[in-house]
Amino acid sequence: MPRLITAYSNPLVKRIQALRDKRHRREEGMFLAEGLRILTEARETGRLPQFLFYAQASAQHPLVLALTHDVEAAGGEVIETSEAILSKLSGKDNPQSVVGAFAVFDTDLATLDRTRSPIWLVAERLRDPGNLGTILRTGDAVGAGGLILVGDCVDPFSTESVRASMGALFTMPIVRTNWEAFLPWLRSGPGQLVGLSLRTENHYRTAPYAAPTFLLTGNEAQGLPAEMEAECDLLVKMPMLGKADSLNAAVATAVMAYEVLAHHTPPAKD
Amino acid sequence: MPRLITAYSNPLVKRIQALRDKRHRREEGMFLAEGLRILTEARETGRLPQFLFYAQASAQHPLVLALTHDVEAAGGEVIETSEAILSKLSGKDNPQSVVGAFAVFDTDLATLDRTRSPIWLVAERLRDPGNLGTILRTGDAVGAGGLILVGDCVDPFSTESVRASMGALFTMPIVRTNWEAFLPWLRSGPGQLVGLSLRTENHYRTAPYAAPTFLLTGNEAQGLPAEMEAECDLLVKMPMLGKADSLNAAVATAVMAYEVLAHHTPPAKD
């Protein structure tokens, strides 16, 4: 049976709300995800929240019923609550009808099976949670094997990142590591490290990609450090015809990821 | 000579700060842009702020000197101020060293020269300012002729959109119009309207693009309405190999824009 919570001062409400803060996510080992679409995505990939909050008005929605059933069957806690408390949990004026608190689930490099996909995404010192979520969403769309975060990246389990991923967070392995650990792992098996650079003549459309391709995206403001560029097996450049001379990091990653996908899986000719 | 303002209560500070609000932008016909990079970009394209605020600590920076000189020469007002007031103007804890208030400058369909570029970007009911700014930045990178906003789109002169554009806002024509005006204008000259769709078998890599190509991006949540899809000269689909089955709107626009660029301007073969 769902528990009913209607008081702002309820300790569980305070505890779950605090997950919007990085320090509390680390202490609790949990993060927030909101919305029927994203929670249903999670459920379909086998991930259920430890705590599920839903609005009384949505209690009879078939997807809410399916979620509450599965969460209870898995030993999680289901809480019926008000829109006002959902709004408090999510920090949004118009809250989604469900909010879940999930266990953080990033994995280790050692557990990755690099034969799983011809495309892997690697980001170093990515700072913007929207970019991180968008890169996850792109990774899902191109069938990437996973996202490897190198160095001091923004938290992939931050509320903004989860939102921007539109559920893709749940569909692929995420590894948090550093360059000193990543590089030996990469070199311990097949893998082509590819970076975008201005210091190359290789056009990204005609470059010799080899699977599995590890696409390396640099920090939004600074791009790739020279020592990481030097470790790349292939540097490519994209046309920059404008005056501003740069692309958003998530956009550059997506154009590259679709290019590599077309290389490894060419479209059928008419 | 620059004017010195150090009081929060100064009426000009209040007036400029209010430009973060859409209603005040409309009333004043001005918008905010921040940062030396973006204001220098603007200056290089011939756009100068009507009001330029800079931090006392940055007074001797060569780019600040160049800006203050040009703004004064053009009859604008230059204001030396504190970091605290810049922070108040921009709404950010760590403000940029300069903030400018520029005249809004969107243009009419009738003034667009469609022979200027083989790629044009069209967005309908785009809701996210970050997406809009990112699309402007992509448009600059692919050398797009301009961005045409159709229907109820987010304000391209909002502070977040200007930020996300990283200065690209100043580099290309922006038109705000509606579908009823856009379609007759499009049909009054050469132009292929291209939309992304799930209801087509045309793979985006092998589709017959024709210049000038007008790439139509739909609303983030709903995509293109059926009646707009029906008006497209070409519908294409992109591979979606994942579970989440969608891309961020700015990402989809970028992958398509780079595809069309490669079609119209193929890379040299080795």
Side-chain angles (χ1 to χ4, degrees), chain A residues 37 41 134 137-138 140-142 203-205 238-244 246-248 251 254 258-259 261-262 267, chain B residues 37 41 134 137-138 140-142 203-205 238-244 246-248 251 254 258-259 261-262 267:
Chain A
R37 178 176 165 173
E41 192 92 61
T134 302
R137 198 171 168 192
T138 300
D140 178 70
V142 299
H203 195 290
Y204 85 109
R205 296 282 289 198
M238 289 170 58
M240 291 283 168
L241 307 182
K243 298 187 182 111
S246 77
L247 282 174
N248 168 276
V251 157
Y258 267 94
E259 187 60 35
L261 176 66
Chain B
R37 177 174 165 175
E41 191 91 62
T134 302
R137 198 170 167 193
T138 300
D140 179 71
V142 300
H203 195 289
Y204 85 109
R205 295 281 290 200
M238 289 171 58
M240 291 284 167
L241 307 183
K243 300 189 181 107
S246 76
L247 282 174
N248 167 276
V251 157
Y258 267 93
E259 187 59 37
L261 176 66

Side-chain angles (χ1 to χ4, degrees), chain B residues 7-163:
Chain B
Y8 284 106
S9 57
N10 183 286
L12 185 62
V13 169
K14 288 183 183 297
R15 189 177 149 208
I16 299 299
Q17 184 197 16
L19 295 178
R20 283 195 275 137
D21 180 76
K22 185 174 183 176
R23 186 170 61 85
H24 285 100
R25 285 197 296 277
R26 200 166 39 218
E27 284 172 12
E28 293 266 13
M30 288 198 298
F31 68 98
L32 284 178
E34 312 147 76
L36 262 185
R37 177 174 165 175
I38 292 181
L39 265 68
T40 298
E41 191 91 62
R43 176 174 158 263
E44 287 171 358
T45 64
R47 300 222 181 255
L48 292 164
Q50 296 179 333
F51 296 94
L52 172 71
F53 292 76
Y54 67 89
Q56 284 156 335
S58 314
Q60 297 309 313
H61 190 296
L63 290 175
V64 174
L65 288 171
L67 273 168
T68 54
H69 175 271
D70 286 8
V71 170
E72 285 186 333
E77 193 167 348
V78 175
I79 300 106
E80 186 171 294
T81 191
S82 64
E83 278 223 5
I85 284 182
L86 285 175
S87 187
K88 187 173 170 179
L89 292 178
S90 70
K92 282 165 74 172
D93 287 343
N94 296 305
Q96 304 272 359
S97 53
V98 289
V99 171
F102 292 78
V104 165
F105 56 82
D106 50 339
T107 52
D108 290 332
L109 278 175
T111 67
L112 295 183
D113 170 12
R114 65 180 87 194
T115 65
R116 236 188 105 222
S117 170
I119 308 179
W120 294 77
L121 303 181
V122 186
E124 65 96 14
R125 290 176 306 144
L126 203 72
R127 300 309 305 158
D128 184 87
N131 282 344
L132 200 158
T134 302
I135 287 174
L136 282 166
R137 198 170 167 193
T138 300
D140 179 71
V142 300
L147 174 63
I148 301 169
L149 299 171
V150 171
D152 187 20
C153 286
V154 67
D155 183 0
F157 299 101
S158 72
T159 310
E160 287 142 309
S161 168
V162 175
R163 251 178 222 160

